[in-house]
Amino acid sequence: MFKKFVFALTALIVGFTAFVAMRPATYRVERSLTMATPVDLPFGLVNDFHRWHFWSPWDALDPKMKKTFDGPYAGPGAIYSWSGNEQAGQGTMTILDARPYESIHIQLEFLKPWPSKSNTTFTFEPVAEGVTVRWTMEGTNNFMGKAFSLFMDMDGMIGQDFEKGLATIKTLTETEAKNRLERQAALEAKAEAEAATRAAQPTEAPQANTATP
């Protein structure tokens, strides 16, 4: 009886392992959002890891999360590392390439809850309404990743985070774009008022030269 139980358990484990191994070896998550803003505003928020806390959907997972920044302040070579609770995990992001106002490529490496690597890309496409920001993540599923996909929809789970992050970027950049226009309009109105004031000021008539007889 015990041998039959061991045999059945072994067969179950082997079957489950084989089933997990047949899961997709790669994954891809992509979301996009159009924003009524100049392209430099969303590009700047993504290209500088110091500014990710304004919009990142994961930053609030652990208020006590430890963060470190290495390399250049922003752009290619910039490195951001974090270590937090079970939800935040531990990992590193490195900007591999950044083409101003076109694209940003980032390598994402998780150390916890389990090791994994993926490539993240942000693209910025000018459109009539402003700019469309597209956020993509691609990677390879190891055994743990394949097993995890049996119980969780990775596209749905990470996709929701992407949607939140993009929505926050949209709010921040559209607000700043509006403020920028208002500041510009105020400066132009001030300049026009000053020019009108100068034009309205009377000019002194030149004094006639009197010759001494």
Side-chain angles (χ1 to χ4, degrees), residues 21-205:
M22 293 174 62
R23 298 290 295 172
T26 61
Y27 63 86
R28 176 184 173 90
V29 180
E30 180 180 314
R31 295 293 189 274
S32 63
L33 190 62
T34 298
M35 310 172 188
T37 176
V39 66
D40 64 295
L41 294 178
F43 183 89
L45 282 177
V46 178
N47 196 46
D48 182 356
F49 284 137
H50 298 84
R51 303 174 69 186
W52 276 52
H53 71 94
F54 289 117
W55 61 269
S56 172
W58 305 299
D59 203 75
L61 294 177
D62 182 4
K64 298 180 180 180
M65 184 165 54
K66 297 180 180 178
K67 307 173 187 178
T68 58
F69 302 91
D70 296 296
Y73 193 86
I79 302 172
Y80 166 55
S81 301
W82 76 94
S83 179
N85 56 22
E86 293 181 357
Q87 286 184 300
Q90 181 180 354
T92 299
M93 288 191 292
T94 304
I95 297 181
L96 302 178
D97 179 65
R99 299 182 180 182
Y101 312 139
E102 293 183 8
S103 62
I104 299 173
H105 298 279
I106 300 172
Q107 182 183 70
L108 170 62
E109 182 177 3
F110 268 102
L111 301 177
K112 294 179 181 180
W114 59 75
S116 68
K117 289 184 179 181
S118 62
N119 295 315
T120 300
T121 302
F122 289 84
T123 59
F124 307 84
E125 179 185 358
V127 294
E129 300 88 342
V131 58
T132 296
V133 181
R134 181 169 285 102
W135 187 357
T136 305
M137 179 185 290
E138 298 176 296
T140 301
N141 278 323
N142 55 22
F143 183 82
M144 287 297 297
K146 292 180 178 181
F148 182 77
S149 69
L150 291 173
F151 308 100
M152 295 293 295
D153 177 14
M154 189 167 186
D155 181 83
M157 181 180 65
I158 296 182
Q160 287 183 354
D161 291 333
F162 281 17
E163 291 167 5
K164 291 178 182 178
L166 290 172
T168 304
I169 292 177
K170 177 182 174 70
T171 298
L172 291 173
T173 56
E174 289 185 347
T175 299
E176 176 55 27
K178 181 180 178 181
N179 293 339
R180 180 183 289 182
L181 290 175
E182 291 176 350
R183 289 194 297 268
Q184 182 63 31
L187 289 174
E188 292 176 357
K190 181 180 179 181
E192 292 176 0
E194 291 175 348
T197 299
R198 288 194 298 269
Q201 291 177 349
T203 56
E204 295 182 1

